[in-house]
PDB file of all heavy atoms in Angstrom:
ATOM      1  N   VAL B  86     -12.419 -17.399  30.486  1.00  0.00           N
ATOM      2  CA  VAL B  86     -12.264 -15.973  30.736  1.00  0.00           C
ATOM      3  C   VAL B  86     -10.778 -15.652  30.688  1.00  0.00           C
ATOM      4  O   VAL B  86      -9.972 -16.394  31.249  1.00  0.00           O
ATOM      5  CB  VAL B  86     -12.836 -15.596  32.120  1.00  0.00           C
ATOM      6  CG1 VAL B  86     -12.821 -14.096  32.316  1.00  0.00           C
ATOM      7  CG2 VAL B  86     -14.236 -16.129  32.275  1.00  0.00           C
ATOM      8  N   TRP B  87     -10.423 -14.559  30.012  1.00  0.00           N
ATOM      9  CA  TRP B  87      -9.015 -14.204  29.996  1.00  0.00           C
ATOM     10  C   TRP B  87      -8.821 -12.701  30.006  1.00  0.00           C
ATOM     11  O   TRP B  87      -9.707 -11.944  29.617  1.00  0.00           O
ATOM     12  CB  TRP B  87      -8.289 -14.849  28.818  1.00  0.00           C
ATOM     13  CG  TRP B  87      -8.529 -14.252  27.472  1.00  0.00           C
ATOM     14  CD1 TRP B  87      -7.697 -13.392  26.811  1.00  0.00           C
ATOM     15  CD2 TRP B  87      -9.633 -14.472  26.592  1.00  0.00           C
ATOM     16  NE1 TRP B  87      -8.225 -13.074  25.587  1.00  0.00           N
ATOM     17  CE2 TRP B  87      -9.413 -13.724  25.425  1.00  0.00           C
ATOM     18  CE3 TRP B  87     -10.796 -15.225  26.686  1.00  0.00           C
ATOM     19  CZ2 TRP B  87     -10.297 -13.691  24.359  1.00  0.00           C
ATOM     20  CZ3 TRP B  87     -11.686 -15.198  25.622  1.00  0.00           C
ATOM     21  CH2 TRP B  87     -11.434 -14.456  24.477  1.00  0.00           C
ATOM     22  N   LEU B  88      -7.659 -12.279  30.510  1.00  0.00           N
ATOM     23  CA  LEU B  88      -7.294 -10.869  30.553  1.00  0.00           C
ATOM     24  C   LEU B  88      -6.279 -10.638  29.440  1.00  0.00           C
ATOM     25  O   LEU B  88      -5.259 -11.315  29.378  1.00  0.00           O
ATOM     26  CB  LEU B  88      -6.692 -10.530  31.922  1.00  0.00           C
ATOM     27  CG  LEU B  88      -6.321  -9.070  32.137  1.00  0.00           C
ATOM     28  CD1 LEU B  88      -7.548  -8.202  32.127  1.00  0.00           C
ATOM     29  CD2 LEU B  88      -5.599  -8.904  33.464  1.00  0.00           C
ATOM     30  N   GLU B  89      -6.611  -9.686  28.586  1.00  0.00           N
ATOM     31  CA  GLU B  89      -5.762  -9.444  27.426  1.00  0.00           C
ATOM     32  C   GLU B  89      -5.085  -8.092  27.557  1.00  0.00           C
ATOM     33  O   GLU B  89      -5.711  -7.114  27.951  1.00  0.00           O
ATOM     34  CB  GLU B  89      -6.645  -9.472  26.173  1.00  0.00           C
ATOM     35  CG  GLU B  89      -5.896  -9.212  24.893  1.00  0.00           C
ATOM     36  CD  GLU B  89      -6.860  -8.918  23.748  1.00  0.00           C
ATOM     37  OE1 GLU B  89      -7.489  -9.855  23.260  1.00  0.00           O
ATOM     38  OE2 GLU B  89      -6.978  -7.744  23.371  1.00  0.00           O
ATOM     39  N   ALA B  90      -3.800  -8.046  27.235  1.00  0.00           N
ATOM     40  CA  ALA B  90      -3.076  -6.778  27.157  1.00  0.00           C
ATOM     41  C   ALA B  90      -2.876  -6.450  25.690  1.00  0.00           C
ATOM     42  O   ALA B  90      -2.504  -7.328  24.913  1.00  0.00           O
ATOM     43  CB  ALA B  90      -1.724  -6.893  27.861  1.00  0.00           C
ATOM     44  N   GLU B  91      -3.154  -5.203  25.327  1.00  0.00           N
ATOM     45  CA  GLU B  91      -3.028  -4.808  23.925  1.00  0.00           C
ATOM     46  C   GLU B  91      -2.147  -3.565  23.866  1.00  0.00           C
ATOM     47  O   GLU B  91      -2.338  -2.628  24.646  1.00  0.00           O
ATOM     48  CB  GLU B  91      -4.425  -4.529  23.365  1.00  0.00           C
ATOM     49  CG  GLU B  91      -4.480  -4.287  21.878  1.00  0.00           C
ATOM     50  CD  GLU B  91      -4.596  -2.819  21.548  1.00  0.00           C
ATOM     51  OE1 GLU B  91      -5.427  -2.149  22.166  1.00  0.00           O
ATOM     52  OE2 GLU B  91      -3.829  -2.347  20.685  1.00  0.00           O
ATOM     53  N   TYR B  92      -1.151  -3.564  23.005  1.00  0.00           N
ATOM     54  CA  TYR B  92      -0.276  -2.397  22.885  1.00  0.00           C
ATOM     55  C   TYR B  92       0.364  -2.389  21.505  1.00  0.00           C
ATOM     56  O   TYR B  92       0.397  -3.405  20.818  1.00  0.00           O
ATOM     57  CB  TYR B  92       0.811  -2.411  23.970  1.00  0.00           C
ATOM     58  CG  TYR B  92       1.818  -3.532  23.822  1.00  0.00           C
ATOM     59  CD1 TYR B  92       3.036  -3.327  23.187  1.00  0.00           C
ATOM     60  CD2 TYR B  92       1.522  -4.797  24.317  1.00  0.00           C
ATOM     61  CE1 TYR B  92       3.943  -4.367  23.046  1.00  0.00           C
ATOM     62  CE2 TYR B  92       2.425  -5.836  24.178  1.00  0.00           C
ATOM     63  CZ  TYR B  92       3.631  -5.614  23.542  1.00  0.00           C
ATOM     64  OH  TYR B  92       4.513  -6.642  23.390  1.00  0.00           O
ATOM     65  N   THR B  93       0.863  -1.218  21.117  1.00  0.00           N
ATOM     66  CA  THR B  93       1.562  -1.094  19.846  1.00  0.00           C
ATOM     67  C   THR B  93       3.020  -0.789  20.135  1.00  0.00           C
ATOM     68  O   THR B  93       3.337   0.154  20.864  1.00  0.00           O
ATOM     69  CB  THR B  93       0.949   0.036  19.000  1.00  0.00           C
ATOM     70  OG1 THR B  93      -0.433  -0.219  18.876  1.00  0.00           O
ATOM     71  CG2 THR B  93       1.583   0.083  17.623  1.00  0.00           C
ATOM     72  N   GLY B  94       3.888  -1.610  19.609  1.00  0.00           N
ATOM     73  CA  GLY B  94       5.305  -1.451  19.866  1.00  0.00           C
ATOM     74  C   GLY B  94       5.897  -0.314  19.050  1.00  0.00           C
ATOM     75  O   GLY B  94       5.258   0.232  18.152  1.00  0.00           O
ATOM     76  N   SER B  95       7.154   0.055  19.367  1.00  0.00           N
ATOM     77  CA  SER B  95       7.801   1.143  18.646  1.00  0.00           C
ATOM     78  C   SER B  95       8.060   0.750  17.192  1.00  0.00           C
ATOM     79  O   SER B  95       8.253   1.605  16.339  1.00  0.00           O
ATOM     80  CB  SER B  95       9.110   1.507  19.334  1.00  0.00           C
ATOM     81  OG  SER B  95       9.931   0.358  19.398  1.00  0.00           O
ATOM     82  N   ASP B  96       8.031  -0.562  16.890  1.00  0.00           N
ATOM     83  CA  ASP B  96       8.217  -1.011  15.507  1.00  0.00           C
ATOM     84  C   ASP B  96       6.906  -1.036  14.731  1.00  0.00           C
ATOM     85  O   ASP B  96       6.870  -1.474  13.586  1.00  0.00           O
ATOM     86  CB  ASP B  96       8.849  -2.409  15.506  1.00  0.00           C
ATOM     87  CG  ASP B  96       8.114  -3.369  16.431  1.00  0.00           C
ATOM     88  OD1 ASP B  96       7.178  -2.921  17.124  1.00  0.00           O
ATOM     89  OD2 ASP B  96       8.473  -4.559  16.459  1.00  0.00           O
ATOM     90  N   GLY B  97       5.812  -0.583  15.363  1.00  0.00           N
ATOM     91  CA  GLY B  97       4.534  -0.524  14.661  1.00  0.00           C
ATOM     92  C   GLY B  97       3.739  -1.810  14.733  1.00  0.00           C
ATOM     93  O   GLY B  97       2.664  -1.901  14.160  1.00  0.00           O
ATOM     94  N   VAL B  98       4.260  -2.815  15.430  1.00  0.00           N
ATOM     95  CA  VAL B  98       3.549  -4.091  15.535  1.00  0.00           C
ATOM     96  C   VAL B  98       2.442  -3.966  16.576  1.00  0.00           C
ATOM     97  O   VAL B  98       2.678  -3.472  17.675  1.00  0.00           O
ATOM     98  CB  VAL B  98       4.526  -5.217  15.939  1.00  0.00           C
ATOM     99  CG1 VAL B  98       3.788  -6.533  16.103  1.00  0.00           C
ATOM    100  CG2 VAL B  98       5.623  -5.353  14.920  1.00  0.00           C
TER     101      VAL B  98
END
Side-chain angles (χ1 to χ4, degrees):
Chain B
V86 186
W87 75 101
L88 183 65
E89 179 194 285
E91 188 258 313
Y92 67 96
T93 305
S95 57
D96 50 356
V98 178

